[in-house]
C-alpha cells in the first residue's frame, strides 16, 4: 500500500512521530500530504531549541496549539544574560541579531493561539514583562507558565499573573535574577492556589546600572559611618 492510500487519521498519526523538518519535507511530495501538514490538529504541541528555529516555515501556528516550549541551552545563551550595560560591542551585535525574535514570535502566539494551555521559556534572555503580560491577557486558558533564566522578567510579570492568570495552576520563575521576594509573596497572597516555584530567583543579585551601584555604595558608607 502506498502512503497516500492511508486515510487522514492514519496520516496524522504518522506525521506526529516526525520532527518539524521531516514533516515539511514529506509535505512537499504531494498535495495530499501537504493537506495533512496543514491540518491544525497536527500542531497542538511545538518545541523549539533555538531562536533561529522560530523563523523557519516548517510549522503552523493556530488555535489548536496547546503546549509551547522554547528552550535555548546553547553556550551562546550566556551572552544574552549579561546585563546590557556590561556588554561589549561584539556581544551587543550578537544580541541585536535576535533580540526581538522570541518576543515577536510570542506576539504571534497571542494573536493566533488563544487556547494555549502551557508555555515554557528557558534561556530566553530578551523576553520582556510586557510580552508575558500580553500573553496572559490573550491566552486566558493558560494553566502552566514556566520561565527559567529569563533575565528581563521582573516583578511586573508576577503582578500580571495576579491580575490575568485566573486559571493558572503552575508558575515557575527559576533563575530569573530580577524577581524579588516581595513579588513572590504577593503572588502567594493573591493566588494561593498557584503552585509557585522560584529556585534561586529572589536570592540572586539583581541587575543594577553603574549609577545605581554608586548610590548603593554611598548609602552603605553612610550606614557604616553611623
Amino acid at each position: 500500500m502506498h502512503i497516500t492510500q492511508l486515510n487522514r487519521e492514519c496520516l496524522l498519526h504518522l506525521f506526529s512521530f516526525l520532527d518539524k523538518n521531516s514533516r515539511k519535507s514529506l509535505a512537499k511530495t504531494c498535495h495530499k500530504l501537504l493537506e495533512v501538514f496543514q491540518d491544525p490538529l497536527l500542531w497542538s504541541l511545538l518545541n523549539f531549541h533555538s531562536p533561529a528555529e522560530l523563523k523557519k516555515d516548517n510549522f503552523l501556528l493556530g488555535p489548536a496549539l496547546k503546549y509551547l516550549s522554547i528552550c535555548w541551552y546553547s553556550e551562546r545563551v550566556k551572552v544574552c544574560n549579561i546585563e546590557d550595560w556590561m556588554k561589549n560591542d561584539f556581544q551587543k551585535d550578537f544580541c541585536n541579531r535576535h533580540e526581538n525574535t522570541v518576543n515577536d514570535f510570542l506576539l504571534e502566539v497571542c494573536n493566533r493561539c488563544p487556547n494555549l494551555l502551557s508555555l515554557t521559556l528557558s534561556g530566553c534572555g530578551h523576553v520582556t514583562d510586557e510580552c508575558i503580560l500580553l500573553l496572559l491577557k490573550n491566552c486566558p486558558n493558560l494553566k502552566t507558565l514556566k520561565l527559567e533564566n529569563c533575565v528581563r522578567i521582573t516583578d511586573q510579570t508576577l503582578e500580571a499573573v495576579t491580575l490575568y492568570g485566573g486559571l493558572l495552576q503552575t508558575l515557575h520563575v527559576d533563575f530569573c535574577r530580577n524577581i524579588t521576594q516581595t513579588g513572590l509573596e504577593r503572588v502567594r497572597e493573591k493566588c494561593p492556589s498557584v503552585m509557585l516555584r522560584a529556585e534561586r530567583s529572589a536570592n540572586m543579585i539583581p541587575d543594577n546600572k553603574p549609577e545605581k551601584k554608586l548610590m548603593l555604595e554611598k548609602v552603605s558608607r553612610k550606614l557604616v559611618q553611623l
Side-chain angles (χ1 to χ4, degrees):
M1 178 182 288
H2 193 274
I3 186 173
T4 56
Q5 294 177 284
L6 296 173
N7 61 34
R8 172 62 71 84
E9 184 178 354
C10 289
L11 289 174
L12 282 171
H13 185 64
L14 290 175
F15 264 75
S16 69
F17 290 98
L18 303 177
D19 60 30
K20 294 188 289 295
N21 285 331
S22 298
R23 291 178 183 181
K24 183 67 175 181
S25 297
L26 190 57
K28 293 178 179 179
T29 59
C30 72
H31 182 71
K32 183 174 182 179
L33 295 181
L34 176 60
E35 288 182 347
V36 176
F37 175 85
Q38 294 174 337
D39 193 319
L41 294 177
L42 187 62
W43 303 103
S44 63
L45 168 67
L46 281 173
N47 293 313
F48 298 93
H49 303 289
S50 77
E53 293 183 16
L54 303 178
K55 295 184 176 182
K56 294 183 178 180
D57 62 346
N58 57 1
F59 63 91
L60 294 180
L61 285 179
L65 182 64
K66 300 292 182 62
Y67 306 93
L68 172 62
S69 172
I70 306 173
C71 298
W72 192 20
Y73 296 117
S74 166
E75 283 295 314
R76 292 177 296 173
V77 76
K78 294 180 180 179
V79 176
C80 298
N81 290 331
I82 298 173
E83 295 91 328
D84 289 340
W85 56 271
M86 290 184 65
K87 291 174 184 173
N88 58 38
D89 290 339
F90 173 79
Q91 292 167 333
K92 289 179 180 178
D93 179 65
F94 174 82
C95 288
N96 286 338
R97 283 180 243 162
H98 59 261
E99 181 169 5
N100 297 318
T101 302
V102 177
N103 278 323
D104 290 346
F105 179 81
L106 290 178
L107 290 178
E108 289 294 317
V109 171
C110 289
N111 294 327
R112 301 185 188 183
C113 312
N115 300 312
L116 189 69
L117 297 177
S118 175
L119 173 65
T120 299
L121 301 176
S122 180
C124 300
H126 298 296
V127 171
T128 63
D129 293 315
E130 291 76 13
C131 190
I132 300 299
L133 168 63
L134 287 175
L135 191 133
L136 287 167
K137 284 184 174 181
N138 289 277
C139 302
N141 298 319
L142 194 68
K143 294 183 178 180
T144 300
L145 177 60
K146 297 182 179 180
L147 306 174
E148 178 186 37
N149 206 12
C150 297
V151 296
R152 292 193 179 184
I153 295 301
T154 71
D155 286 356
Q156 291 183 38
T157 287
L158 300 182
E159 182 65 21
V161 165
T162 66
L163 295 174
Y164 306 106
L167 296 182
L168 205 64
Q169 298 174 356
T170 301
L171 174 63
H172 292 179
V173 283
D174 299 331
F175 294 89
C176 297
R177 62 175 178 252
N178 289 301
I179 293 292
T180 70
Q181 193 63 47
T182 300
L184 295 174
E185 289 300 329
R186 181 165 177 79
V187 173
R188 292 189 180 100
E189 177 188 351
K190 297 291 184 179
C191 310
S193 62
V194 173
M195 295 179 60
L196 176 62
R197 192 180 80 183
E199 185 177 344
R200 296 288 299 275
S201 291
N203 296 323
M204 299 180 77
I205 299 175
D207 296 344
N208 287 304
K209 292 184 178 180
E211 58 269 21
K212 290 184 179 180
K213 287 189 174 182
L214 288 173
M215 290 176 64
L216 290 173
E217 289 175 0
K218 290 179 180 179
V219 171
S220 298
R221 291 196 196 102
K222 288 182 179 178
L223 290 174
V224 171
Q225 291 174 356
L226 294 174

